[in-house]
Coordinates of all heavy atoms in Angstrom, one line a residue:
I2 N 74.4 271.2 136.8 CA 74.3 272.2 137.8 C 73.6 271.7 139.0 O 72.6 270.9 138.9 CB 73.7 273.5 137.3 CG1 73.8 274.7 138.4 CG2 72.2 273.3 137.0 CD1 73.4 276.0 137.8
S3 N 74.1 272.0 140.2 CA 73.4 271.6 141.5 C 73.7 272.6 142.6 O 74.5 273.6 142.3 CB 74.0 270.2 141.9 OG 75.4 270.3 142.2
R4 N 72.9 272.5 143.6 CA 73.1 273.6 144.7 C 72.9 272.9 146.1 O 72.2 271.9 146.2 CB 72.2 274.7 144.5 CG 70.7 274.4 144.7 CD 69.8 275.6 144.3 NE 69.9 276.7 145.3 CZ 69.4 277.9 145.1 NH1 68.7 278.2 143.9 NH2 69.4 278.8 146.0
D5 N 73.5 273.5 147.0 CA 73.4 273.1 148.4 C 72.8 274.3 149.1 O 73.5 275.3 149.4 CB 74.7 272.8 149.0 CG 74.6 272.3 150.5 OD1 73.6 272.7 151.2 OD2 75.5 271.5 150.9
G6 N 71.5 274.3 149.3 CA 70.8 275.4 149.9 C 71.3 275.8 151.3 O 71.4 277.0 151.6
A7 N 71.7 274.8 152.2 CA 72.1 275.1 153.5 C 73.4 275.9 153.4 O 73.7 276.6 154.4 CB 72.3 273.8 154.3
K8 N 74.2 275.6 152.4 CA 75.6 276.3 152.3 C 75.6 277.4 151.4 O 76.6 278.1 151.1 CB 76.6 275.3 151.9 CG 76.8 274.1 152.9 CD 77.9 273.2 152.4 CE 78.2 272.0 153.3 NZ 79.2 271.1 152.9
N9 N 74.4 277.7 150.8 CA 74.3 278.8 149.8 C 75.3 278.7 148.7 O 76.0 279.7 148.3 CB 74.4 280.2 150.5 CG 73.3 280.4 151.4 OD1 72.1 280.2 151.1 ND2 73.6 280.8 152.7
T10 N 75.5 277.5 148.2 CA 76.6 277.2 147.2 C 76.0 276.5 146.0 O 75.1 275.7 146.1 CB 77.6 276.3 147.8 OG1 78.2 277.0 149.0 CG2 78.7 276.0 146.8
V11 N 76.5 276.9 144.8 CA 76.0 276.3 143.6 C 77.3 275.7 142.9 O 78.4 276.3 143.0 CB 75.3 277.3 142.6 CG1 76.3 278.4 142.2 CG2 74.8 276.6 141.4
Y12 N 77.1 274.5 142.3 CA 78.2 273.8 141.6 C 77.9 273.7 140.1 O 76.8 273.7 139.7 CB 78.4 272.4 142.3 CG 78.5 272.5 143.8 CD1 77.5 272.4 144.7 CD2 79.8 272.6 144.4 CE1 77.6 272.4 146.0 CE2 80.0 272.7 145.8 CZ 78.8 272.6 146.5 OH 79.0 272.6 147.9
L13 N 79.0 273.5 139.4 CA 78.8 273.1 138.0 C 79.8 272.0 137.7 O 81.0 272.3 137.7 CB 79.1 274.3 137.1 CG 78.9 274.1 135.6 CD1 77.4 273.9 135.3 CD2 79.4 275.3 134.8
Q14 N 79.3 270.8 137.5 CA 80.2 269.7 137.1 C 80.3 269.7 135.6 O 79.3 269.6 135.0 CB 79.6 268.4 137.7 CG 80.4 267.1 137.3 CD 81.7 267.1 137.9 OE1 81.8 267.3 139.1 NE2 82.8 266.8 137.1
M15 N 81.5 269.8 135.1 CA 81.7 269.9 133.7 C 82.5 268.6 133.3 O 83.7 268.4 133.7 CB 82.5 271.1 133.3 CG 81.8 272.5 133.8 SD 82.7 273.9 133.3 CE 84.2 273.8 134.2
N16 N 81.8 267.8 132.4 CA 82.5 266.6 132.0 C 82.7 266.7 130.4 O 82.0 267.5 129.7 CB 81.7 265.4 132.3 CG 81.5 265.2 133.8 OD1 82.4 265.4 134.5 ND2 80.3 264.7 134.1
N17 N 83.5 265.9 129.9 CA 83.8 265.8 128.5 C 84.0 267.3 127.9 O 83.4 267.7 126.9 CB 82.6 265.2 127.7 CG 83.0 264.9 126.3 OD1 84.1 264.7 125.9 ND2 81.9 264.8 125.5
L18 N 84.9 268.0 128.6 CA 85.2 269.4 128.2 C 85.8 269.4 126.8 O 86.6 268.6 126.4 CB 86.2 270.0 129.2 CG 85.4 270.4 130.5 CD1 86.4 270.6 131.6 CD2 84.6 271.7 130.3
K19 N 85.5 270.5 126.1 CA 86.0 270.7 124.7 C 86.6 272.1 124.7 O 86.4 273.0 125.5 CB 84.8 270.6 123.7 CG 84.1 269.3 123.8 CD 82.8 269.3 122.9 CE 82.1 268.0 123.0 NZ 80.9 268.0 122.0
P20 N 87.5 272.3 123.7 CA 88.2 273.6 123.5 C 87.2 274.7 123.5 O 87.4 275.9 124.0 CB 89.0 273.5 122.2 CG 89.3 272.0 122.2 CD 88.1 271.3 122.7
K21 N 86.0 274.5 122.9 CA 85.0 275.6 122.8 C 84.5 276.0 124.2 O 83.8 277.0 124.2 CB 83.8 275.2 121.9 CG 83.0 274.0 122.4 CD 81.8 273.7 121.5 CE 81.0 272.6 122.0 NZ 79.9 272.2 121.1
D22 N 84.7 275.2 125.2 CA 84.3 275.6 126.5 C 85.2 276.6 127.2 O 84.9 277.1 128.3 CB 84.1 274.3 127.4 CG 83.1 273.4 126.9 OD1 82.0 273.8 126.5 OD2 83.4 272.1 126.9
T23 N 86.3 276.8 126.6 CA 87.3 277.8 127.2 C 86.7 279.1 127.3 O 86.2 279.8 126.3 CB 88.5 277.9 126.3 OG1 89.2 276.6 126.3 CG2 89.5 278.9 126.8
A24 N 86.7 279.7 128.5 CA 86.1 281.0 128.8 C 86.3 281.3 130.3 O 86.7 280.5 131.1 CB 84.6 281.0 128.5
E25 N 85.9 282.5 130.7 CA 85.9 282.9 132.0 C 84.4 282.6 132.5 O 83.4 283.0 131.9 CB 86.1 284.4 132.2 CG 86.3 284.8 133.6 CD 87.6 284.7 134.2 OE1 88.5 284.1 133.5 OE2 87.8 285.1 135.4
Y26 N 84.3 281.8 133.6 CA 83.1 281.4 134.1 C 82.6 282.2 135.3 O 83.4 282.4 136.2 CB 83.1 279.9 134.4 CG 83.0 279.0 133.3 CD1 84.1 278.9 132.4 CD2 81.8 278.3 132.9 CE1 84.0 278.1 131.2 CE2 81.8 277.5 131.8 CZ 82.8 277.4 131.0 OH 82.7 276.6 129.9
Y27 N 81.4 282.7 135.3 CA 80.9 283.6 136.3 C 79.7 283.1 137.0 O 78.8 282.5 136.3 CB 80.6 285.0 135.7 CG 81.7 285.8 135.2 CD1 82.1 285.6 133.8 CD2 82.5 286.6 135.9 CE1 83.1 286.3 133.3 CE2 83.6 287.3 135.4 CZ 83.9 287.1 134.1 OH 84.9 287.9 133.5
C28 N 79.6 283.2 138.3 CA 78.4 282.8 139.1 C 77.5 284.0 139.2 O 78.0 285.2 139.3 CB 78.9 282.4 140.5 SG 77.6 282.0 141.6
N29 N 76.2 283.8 139.1 CA 75.3 284.9 139.3 C 74.2 284.5 140.3 O 73.6 283.4 140.2 CB 74.7 285.2 137.9 CG 73.6 286.3 138.1 OD1 72.4 286.0 138.1 ND2 74.1 287.6 138.1
A30 N 74.0 285.4 141.2 CA 72.9 285.2 142.2 C 72.7 286.4 143.0 O 73.6 287.3 143.1 CB 73.3 284.1 143.2
I31 N 71.5 286.6 143.5 CA 71.2 287.8 144.3 C 71.6 289.1 143.6 O 72.0 290.0 144.2 CB 71.8 287.8 145.7 CG1 72.2 286.3 146.1 CG2 71.0 288.4 146.8 CD1 73.1 286.2 147.4
E32 N 71.3 289.1 142.3 CA 71.7 290.3 141.5 C 73.2 290.6 141.6 O 73.5 291.8 141.5 CB 70.8 291.4 141.8 CG 69.3 291.1 141.6 CD 68.4 292.3 141.9 OE1 68.6 293.0 143.0 OE2 67.5 292.6 141.1
R33 N 74.0 289.7 141.8 CA 75.4 289.9 141.9 C 76.2 289.0 141.0 O 75.7 287.9 140.6 CB 75.9 289.7 143.4 CG 75.3 290.6 144.4 CD 75.9 292.0 144.3 NE 75.4 292.8 145.5 CZ 74.2 293.4 145.6 NH1 73.4 293.4 144.6 NH2 74.0 294.2 146.6
W34 N 77.4 289.3 140.7 CA 78.3 288.5 139.9 C 79.6 288.2 140.7 O 80.0 289.0 141.5 CB 78.8 289.3 138.7 CG 77.7 289.5 137.6 CD1 77.0 290.6 137.4 CD2 77.2 288.5 136.6 NE1 76.1 290.4 136.4 CE2 76.2 289.2 135.9 CE3 77.6 287.3 136.3 CZ2 75.6 288.5 134.9 CZ3 77.0 286.6 135.3 CH2 75.9 287.2 134.6
G35 N 80.0 287.0 140.5 CA 81.2 286.6 141.2 C 82.4 287.2 140.4 O 82.2 287.9 139.4
Q36 N 83.6 287.0 140.8 CA 84.8 287.5 140.2 C 85.2 286.8 138.9 O 86.0 287.3 138.2 CB 86.0 287.6 141.2 CG 86.8 286.3 141.3 CD 86.1 285.2 142.1 OE1 85.0 285.4 142.7 NE2 86.7 284.0 142.1
G37 N 84.7 285.5 138.8 CA 85.0 284.7 137.6 C 86.1 283.8 137.9 O 87.0 284.0 138.7
T38 N 86.1 282.6 137.2 CA 87.2 281.6 137.3 C 87.4 281.1 135.9 O 86.5 280.8 135.1 CB 86.8 280.5 138.3 OG1 87.9 279.6 138.4 CG2 85.6 279.8 137.8

């Protein structure tokens, strides 16, 4: 996980993905949730 404060953006680099990683991924910040990906 990393972030760019100037851009108010957070990243998640996912390597060596496995079937168990299958899910809807949500961002959380400022007491809010993203729509999911």
